[in-house]
Amino acid sequence: MLPYVLSLDIGTTSTKAIAFTQDNQIMAQYSLGYPILHPQPNFSEQNPTEIWQAVGEGIRKIQKDTQKIGNLQAISFSAAMHSLICVDKKGKPLTNCIIWADNRSAEIAEKLKKTPIGQQIYAQTGAPIHPMLPLCKLLWLKEQEPEIFAQTQLFIGMKEYIFYQLTGNYLVDYSLASATGLFDNQTFAWSKLALDLIGINESRLPPLVPIFHYELSKPEWTEGLGIPENTPLVIGGSDGGLANLGAGATKQGRLALTIGTSGAARTCVSKPLIDKQMRTFCYALSQDLFILGGGMNNGGIVIDWLQKILLRDSEKPVNPLIISELAQDIAIGSDGLLFLPYLLGERAPWYDANAKGVFFGVQIQHTPAHFARAVLEGITLAMYSIGESIVENGQNIEVIYASGGFAHSKFWVQIVADVFGIKVILNESVEASAWGAALVAWQALGIIEDFGQTGDFAANVEVFEPNWANHQVYQSIFKKFTRLYQVLKPEF
Ligand code: ADP
């Protein structure tokens, strides 16, 4: 019987349940989907019960598949950042789960960002002031839903809700707490500054624990899930932080680049680092490891849009590979067609909710294939602008570890290598966050000793070297890309 860890990566579109052996072999995996709800414009929510059902199903399915071949060592968690659920005294949710994409607090965030207190909160928490943050969502709730705000016993996130269902304890790990805008990165406690601004004390937030913290399963809480009694339930961390860990990008000089539905670029630093222009986040993973980077709204979702809308393929199921196949025949730079990918506004590095998508330089000879290539290049250039803000904060990038759905397209990964002018490595598993959660569990169990060495457990499968001539071309296109955004900004 092979020992394995069951990772539950609670994402925006699905929960991925994956059984990993210690040498990164996948014994079984499932993806269990659920919808995003938009009850009003600018609102993005999910039903916590649906997510809990998906998690439960994932646990049961994996246990069934591995019954005869595996020996469950621990269950470990990864989850999307910035979510907020209000629960009452009895643990009943008073709201849906308000997720990272929710924009209802845009005005509040915009005002706060410009105040000295907003700047101080960013400096203390490492979280750029933005409507994604539970900090801004709580200010909105207090103003717009005072009754719910008053009735709420505890403000929690999605993973805290799930962990409670399995253990009866409300706890939050440092890495997810660090992405709320309420957590002091220096003292590893809730930020008095942020809490005073909202007008709450820390009794209304869950207690803080390291990502390695675990509780032993008790039958009264895990009934019907088939989890053996006393199985360690490791709290784990945020999907962003764990993706760095899982991709092997925890050492200096390594950048983890993820493009899934959305995207992010992150590197690790040993102490909190703040950007003068508030472009980068710096979230804790552990007391001596912080994730510095930026998140983008417009990743693979733009590819899916292009195929459905522009290429008039709405009848067929989305197959993002088609875009790469089309684009391959077009020269670098898409014969002058340039694309700003800001269909959903943008987070890093601009934090501009009003930004829009733009095709620039359209000419009579441009074909759908040009549009396909321009979109791949545009998303990559937007990612490069995040990379640039990381480098401008004194971080040297020597190698990029790629993960997320985009990594299925080798053509696109090569564009990333060329735009950045840096070698890109693909790991064996593109499920970096889930594998990161498994690594946390192995360390919590004492099987891996040094958290910092965990990168060496990821097996590299493919290396993409940059083409220098292409890099030079992209350097000049990038200048135009940035200028174009700056010029159009007042018009958005
Ligand atoms: P999530 O962010 O929800 O975890 P994934 O990491 O699975 O999702 O990424 C999904 C995205 O990956 C989709 O939006 C899709 O456009 C993109 N994608 C998947 N396969 C390919 C491919 N072969 N070429 C380009 N993009 C792809």
Side-chain angles (χ1 to χ4, degrees):
M1 299 276 263
L2 271 177
Y4 77 93
V5 163
L6 164 51
S7 289
L8 291 156
D9 178 19
I10 307 162
T12 310
T13 49
S14 65
T15 284
K16 288 167 187 157
I18 308 182
F20 286 107
T21 63
Q22 204 190 324
D23 56 356
N24 195 6
Q25 297 306 310
I26 292 179
M27 292 172 75
Q29 66 177 322
Y30 288 95
S31 175
L32 303 121
Y34 30 75
I36 301 178
L37 314 169
H38 303 286
Q40 291 187 44
N42 286 327
F43 284 32
S44 293
E45 301 181 350
Q46 291 185 302
N47 181 340
T49 313
E50 276 182 343
I51 298 184
W52 165 230
Q53 278 164 357
V55 169
E57 203 181 326
I59 295 175
R60 279 191 297 268
K61 285 188 157 180
I62 294 280
Q63 304 254 80
K64 200 162 164 238
D65 284 8
T66 53
Q67 227 170 26
K68 299 212 173 87
I69 48 168
N71 191 354
L72 177 65
Q73 303 295 298
I75 298 182
S76 187
F77 300 86
S78 153
M81 291 184 267
H82 314 304
S83 64
L84 177 71
I85 309 174
C86 299
V87 293
D88 71 6
K89 285 197 183 92
K90 292 181 184 148
K92 189 174 131 251
L94 299 172
T95 59
N96 265 334
C97 179
I98 307 174
I99 66 165
W100 60 271
D102 191 283
N103 248 333
R104 73 187 71 180
S105 64
E107 255 179 60
I108 288 173
E110 201 49 41
K111 275 192 206 143
L112 179 61
K113 193 163 113 178
K114 294 181 184 132
T115 62
I117 185 99
Q119 301 280 340
Q120 281 167 28
I121 290 177
Y122 169 61
Q124 195 176 77
T125 64
I129 306 297
H130 183 273
M132 68 190 174
L133 294 183
L135 162 75
C136 299
K137 291 167 178 159
L138 284 171
L139 289 168
W140 183 94
L141 267 177
K142 191 179 180 186
E143 203 179 287
Q144 302 292 326
E145 300 277 4
E147 280 176 19
I148 291 181
F149 187 86
Q151 281 167 23
T152 303
Q153 169 91 351
L154 216 53
F155 300 105
I156 59 171
M158 195 58 229
K159 182 154 75 62
E160 292 81 270
Y161 179 80
I162 299 292
F163 204 69
Y164 174 80
Q165 304 303 317
L166 290 164
T167 63
N169 289 325
Y170 282 117
L171 295 171
V172 62
D173 75 85
Y174 289 147
S175 72
L176 276 171
S178 188
T180 59
L182 307 170
F183 176 82
D184 186 331
N185 257 347
Q186 270 106 39
T187 61
F188 272 60
W190 293 115
S191 154
K192 192 162 176 340
L193 200 61
L195 268 54
D196 284 351
L197 180 72
I198 305 166
I200 55 171
N201 60 39
E202 51 182 85
S203 69
R204 296 180 80 190
L205 295 168
L208 296 154
V209 291
I211 56 175
F212 304 110
H213 175 88
Y214 64 83
E215 314 255 311
L216 297 176
S217 66
K218 299 186 208 96
E220 62 267 34
W221 284 92
T222 57
E223 204 191 333
L225 294 172
I227 301 173
E229 191 172 353
N230 291 327
T231 300
L233 305 172
V234 183
I235 197 159
S238 71
D239 55 2
L242 295 181
N244 270 64
L245 192 59
T250 46
K251 291 184 182 157
Q252 255 197 340
R254 298 180 177 186
L255 183 81
L257 187 151
T258 311
I259 304 180
T261 313
S262 57
R266 301 166 302 259
T267 188
C268 283
V269 286
S270 56
K271 45 182 194 289
L273 202 153
I274 298 309
D275 176 46
K276 284 198 185 76
Q277 297 173 51
M278 213 195 269
R279 290 172 301 179
T280 47
F281 59 68
C282 192
Y283 299 141
L285 192 55
S286 66
Q287 251 132 339
D288 48 15
L289 200 58
F290 295 79
I291 308 293
L292 175 78
M296 68 195 281
N297 291 346
N298 302 285
I301 197 165
V302 180
I303 301 294
D304 303 344
W305 163 84
L306 181 76
Q307 196 197 339
K308 268 192 251 164
I309 305 297
L310 209 61
L311 303 181
R312 295 177 188 279
D313 223 352
S314 52
E315 299 303 308
K316 293 188 194 155
V318 173
N319 176 6
L321 203 54
I322 290 175
I323 302 294
S324 293
E325 278 170 4
L326 262 178
Q328 280 177 30
D329 296 333
I330 304 299
I332 176 172
S334 310
D335 291 326
L337 186 62
L338 185 55
F339 177 59
L340 302 187
Y342 307 130
L343 268 56
L344 294 165
E346 195 47 291
R347 286 182 282 161
W350 318 117
Y351 291 95
D352 180 355
N354 295 320
K356 306 280 185 311
V358 174
F359 282 104
F360 175 80
V362 188
Q363 290 180 292
I364 199 84
Q365 70 273 20
H366 288 144
T367 61
H370 286 92
F371 282 79
R373 177 151 192 151
V375 166
L376 294 176
E377 291 181 338
I379 299 170
T380 313
L381 290 164
M383 188 57 99
Y384 185 70
S385 67
I386 299 177
E388 200 188 34
S389 65
I390 294 173
V391 170
E392 282 173 13
N393 274 293
Q395 303 307 306
N396 185 27
I397 304 171
E398 286 155 18
V399 56
I400 293 172
Y401 288 80
S403 64
F406 98 108
H408 294 295
S409 162
K410 292 184 182 177
F411 177 71
W412 195 354
V413 178
Q414 185 60 49
I415 293 180
V416 171
D418 293 350
V419 167
F420 278 76
I422 295 172
K423 173 168 83 174
V424 177
I425 290 178
L426 277 190
N427 287 325
E428 202 163 303
S429 162
V430 291
E431 301 295 354
S433 305
W435 173 234
L439 289 170
V440 170
W442 292 121
Q443 176 157 349
L445 299 177
I447 292 168
I448 292 173
E449 270 177 28
D450 180 3
F451 189 52
Q453 273 179 4
T454 49
D456 303 334
F457 290 82
N460 303 333
V461 277
E462 223 170 335
V463 177
F464 295 74
E465 294 290 346
N467 173 316
W468 287 108
N470 288 355
H471 180 60
Q472 294 312 319
V473 176
Y474 280 130
Q475 285 287 290
S476 92
I477 296 177
F478 179 66
K479 287 198 181 99
K480 193 165 172 178
F481 176 92
T482 311
R483 278 198 308 272
L484 200 58
Y485 168 73
Q486 300 291 3
V487 168
L488 290 174
K489 186 175 159 58
E491 308 297 334
F492 287 141

